Amino acid sequence: MRSLWRGSSLEALLRRHHVAPTCAVSPLHHRGYSRSSPLAHPHRHIHGEKDIAVIGGGITGLASAFSLSRELPEARITLYEAGSRMGGWVHTKQMNVADGTVVFEQGPRTLRPGLPNGLVTLEMISLLGIEDQVITTSKDSVAARNRFVYYPDHLVRMPGPGQSPLDMLGALFSEPVFEGAVWGFMGETFRPARPREVEDESVGAFISRRVGPAVADNIVSAVFHGIYAGDVYQLSASSLLPLQWLYEGRAGSITAGFWTLGKGVQRLFERRDADIIWEYESRGGASGVPGIMDASVFSFKRGIGTISEALEKALRGARNVSIKTQTAVKGIGPDPSSGGVSITTDEKNPPATHTHALCTLSGRTLSEVSSVPLPSLARMHAVTVMVVNLYFANPALLPARGFGYLIPRSVPFEQNPERALGVVFDSDACVGQDGPGGTKVTVMLGGHWWDGFDAFPDEDEAAAMARRVLARHLSITDEPTLAHVGLQRDCIPQYAVGHETRLRAAHEALAAGFGGRVRVAGNSYGGVGLNDCVRSGRDAARGLSRDEVGGEEGTPPEERTGLEHLARPRTWVPYFKSPSAAET
């Protein structure tokens, strides 16, 4: 198979299928939503120079402002950040030990170079000139080959590369974590499809119907603990498993959908994602980043914070960008006199007026500061995660080598009373980041297990809880040389059942109330990962830069919100396994 990153095979394929995609998903018809409903009071469109407020200095806000500064060099851009530090949940801390420096991550620690959103991040890295700071973990590394789930009282290696078929088969039939999985997947194609009127359901309910409740509880819940720190019986299947949802809806089962809709292709991409792949492939991809072709994940020598630091440096050096830290936005509303947006920061100063605002605050926070009612965003929920970084001097401390392990919801309480979500073996997951040769791990606690809590463990309590997890699960009782604890409040939005319905309602309200003057981006809308946030900011910035020429599929500027793609049916484009498949 030729690489996606080089050559013209992907470009030719996507050109061939770009105009006539394989299938289109009809829009869901929800009560109270009409795609063609008129704007309540549209604002007049201002041609000429833009004065744009970017609200929020997290990774989405930084990426948005960076993209805007390049796409609209004549625009005035003001970045508002409530705190004194930029980067949001991207927070790297370097701590000294006798033999060197240890890098601790309180937010994301590694990134995937995968399609399509990884391409956007890789291009931004090249534009920032920090390619030489990238360190990669290869696809042949122990971290890439060994990923574990803890169930019910021991580590279980998940089937994958580097294992013989015999070993995988033996594990599937002997390990309790895989109970029901083999027969569940074999019988999936024969199970009845969901009723046509069902527009969404939880991930847990969906997997339970299609494969079996044991798979949902033992395996899928662990995966979603690692990504969303969420409850699979609350998270939306149609939003988080859109391709599997499509397959069942169109073909009656996931298996049948893969073969009838995909016709043997490796996967389908939404057209807006395929457009990005085609665009980057036509420009030579991301080959400027060393080692990325063979990488499973990547990070930076000084941590993921390298990205936010480089973005901030670039923005402070841009002539058309102004950064206002410790300036919390307390109000956003239409400005009738100018037709633009009014931004209120405090009672001492009059509101600032901008032609547009690109808001990267959480959906719930936006609903609290917007003068335009946004009830669907007010209902969005986020979970809190306690992150405990530990460093041990002993380099051979781990009983197993790999990326780490996740803990499913079905683990007995006595095996996880601390309500840990998982443990990352950082010293394996990101080799070459630390000076000394010890063992570094991160224990993640809380998430949906802590929903409704009005108080959380302090740093000492959290460190003790993390050490108890390591002692019980891995028999690690050594005293850590370094410990760092951080409570990330409301850090991961939960895409609960009905998520896309709520976003469509938000799009309608934003378009009606602001007439295209306010766009949204960030982890409340299009994915919770760093790559997702960078892509979201880039898309919103590009939408603003193209107001004069027509946006995505010709959406008028006054109807753009950053969520306008949800007002149209999804279209899907096939990606074939090999160039020869494109010729059949």
Side-chain angles (χ1 to χ4, degrees):
M1 171 178 165
R2 293 181 60 188
S3 168
L4 280 175
W5 302 89
R6 302 183 190 276
S8 59
S9 60
L10 182 62
E11 178 182 353
L13 173 64
L14 292 180
R15 283 184 184 276
R16 176 180 176 183
H17 291 277
H18 188 69
V19 178
T22 298
C23 52
V25 182
S26 301
L28 301 180
H29 300 288
H30 302 277
R31 291 187 296 273
Y33 175 76
S34 170
R35 181 181 174 192
S36 59
S37 62
L39 296 177
H41 44 84
H43 304 289
R44 69 178 185 271
H45 181 56
I46 302 174
H47 294 272
E49 187 177 88
K50 288 183 171 69
D51 184 341
I52 304 167
V54 176
I55 304 172
I59 189 63
T60 309
L62 291 170
S64 300
F66 180 70
S67 296
L68 283 169
S69 70
R70 294 177 57 82
E71 297 268 353
L72 293 169
E74 302 305 318
R76 293 192 300 274
I77 301 163
T78 305
L79 176 59
Y80 294 89
E81 165 55 35
S84 59
R85 185 188 68 85
M86 310 292 276
W89 303 121
V90 177
H91 194 184
T92 301
K93 186 176 181 66
Q94 297 178 0
M95 301 183 71
N96 294 324
V97 292
D99 299 328
T101 301
V102 176
V103 176
F104 283 152
E105 299 283 10
Q106 284 287 291
R109 63 207 62 251
T110 58
L111 303 175
R112 291 187 177 277
L115 305 172
N117 295 351
L119 291 173
V120 182
T121 301
L122 288 167
E123 184 195 45
M124 187 179 72
I125 289 169
S126 295
L127 292 172
L128 292 168
I130 54 175
E131 307 102 307
D132 61 340
Q133 296 299 305
V134 171
I135 54 176
T136 61
T137 300
S138 79
K139 296 174 183 176
D140 293 326
S141 67
V142 292
R145 290 175 174 268
N146 298 341
R147 295 170 185 263
F148 301 93
V149 164
Y150 185 86
Y151 182 87
D153 58 2
H154 60 278
L155 296 185
V156 181
R157 185 183 180 188
M158 292 294 100
Q163 298 180 62
S164 70
L166 188 61
D167 287 342
M168 287 190 282
L169 192 62
L172 288 172
F173 282 101
S174 63
E175 287 288 354
V177 72
F178 298 118
E179 179 185 354
V182 174
W183 305 120
F185 282 104
M186 290 179 64
E188 190 273 333
T189 191
F190 303 108
R191 291 186 172 87
R194 66 178 181 267
R196 289 188 176 275
E197 63 270 17
V198 174
E199 298 174 345
D200 198 4
E201 67 179 323
S202 73
V203 169
F206 176 61
I207 297 299
S208 295
R209 278 197 307 103
R210 299 310 319 159
V211 186
V215 175
D217 290 344
N218 297 345
I219 300 174
V220 177
S221 74
V223 173
F224 279 75
H225 276 170
I227 302 172
Y228 301 99
D231 180 359
V232 289
Y233 289 96
Q234 299 294 324
L235 296 170
S236 163
S238 67
S239 295
L240 302 181
L241 299 173
L243 194 55
Q244 291 79 4
W245 188 260
L246 167 72
Y247 284 162
E248 186 202 24
R250 286 300 182 89
S253 73
I254 299 171
T255 305
F258 176 81
W259 291 109
T260 59
L261 295 180
K263 296 182 175 64
V265 303
Q266 185 174 17
R267 63 178 294 188
L268 298 176
F269 284 104
E270 285 193 54
R271 176 174 171 172
R272 59 196 302 266
D273 293 337
D275 287 344
I276 288 180
I277 301 171
W278 173 75
E279 175 189 346
Y280 282 83
E281 178 72 12
S282 68
R283 300 208 310 254
S287 56
V289 178
I292 207 66
M293 293 284 295
D294 300 315
S296 169
V297 295
F298 69 96
S299 184
F300 297 85
K301 297 173 183 176
R302 294 174 57 84
I304 294 290
T306 300
I307 293 182
S308 54
E309 291 171 2
L311 283 167
E312 181 179 0
K313 180 179 179 181
L315 292 174
R316 291 192 182 279
R319 62 176 180 81
N320 61 333
V321 178
S322 173
I323 296 178
K324 295 185 177 183
T325 55
Q326 296 183 299
T327 307
V329 170
K330 299 179 179 179
I332 305 171
D335 182 59
S337 61
S338 67
V341 183
S342 175
I343 304 293
T344 302
T345 55
D346 56 52
E347 298 177 354
K348 298 179 182 178
N349 298 310
T353 301
H354 301 268
T355 63
H356 298 81
L358 201 168
C359 183
T360 68
L361 303 176
S362 72
R364 188 169 183 175
T365 301
L366 174 57
S367 74
E368 294 169 353
V369 300
S370 170
S371 66
V372 173
L374 300 169
S376 65
L377 295 185
R379 295 195 295 271
M380 294 193 73
H381 168 62
V383 296
T384 295
V385 177
M386 183 76 81
V387 179
V388 183
N389 308 118
L390 299 171
Y391 172 78
F392 302 87
N394 183 354
L397 197 59
L398 294 171
R401 301 287 303 280
F403 195 89
Y405 67 93
L406 297 170
I407 306 171
R409 69 191 308 274
S410 52
V411 162
F413 177 79
E414 59 270 17
Q415 288 295 325
N416 189 26
E418 297 82 9
R419 292 308 194 190
L421 301 164
V423 178
V424 180
F425 301 163
D426 295 297
S427 44
D428 282 344
C430 199
V431 178
Q433 199 170 57
D434 305 311
T439 298
K440 182 173 67 173
V441 300
T442 298
V443 181
M444 297 165 289
L445 307 165
H448 73 96
W449 293 122
W450 289 0
D451 282 350
F453 282 23
D454 53 11
F456 300 97
D458 62 26
E459 292 188 7
D460 290 339
E461 291 170 334
M465 291 167 68
R467 292 190 62 193
R468 289 198 297 270
V469 170
L470 296 181
R472 186 183 307 110
H473 294 177
L474 305 179
S475 299
I476 294 176
T477 57
D478 290 29
E479 185 78 20
T481 304
L482 292 174
H484 180 59
V485 179
L487 181 67
Q488 315 299 330
R489 290 180 181 267
D490 300 329
C491 61
I492 306 179
Q494 298 296 283
Y495 295 3
V497 174
H499 178 68
E500 291 191 4
T501 305
R502 290 186 290 275
L503 292 190
R504 288 188 181 95
H507 163 69
E508 184 88 354
L510 287 165
F514 289 103
R517 293 294 164 192
V518 172
R519 317 286 171 90
V520 297
N523 65 359
S524 287
Y525 312 104
V528 301
L530 187 146
N531 285 341
D532 304 321
C533 291
V534 170
R535 156 80 182 279
S536 178
R538 174 260 198 193
D539 284 355
R542 183 166 289 193
L544 274 170
S545 72
R546 297 179 179 180
D547 270 359
E548 311 301 331
V549 297
E552 189 176 350
E553 295 192 4
T555 305
E558 64 271 15
E559 295 181 13
R560 294 182 207 162
T561 64
L563 303 174
E564 60 269 14
H565 60 281
L566 295 171
R568 294 185 298 275
R570 281 178 171 169
T571 55
W572 299 83
V573 175
Y575 161 55
F576 288 90
K577 288 183 178 179
S578 66
S580 60
E583 304 303 322
T584 62

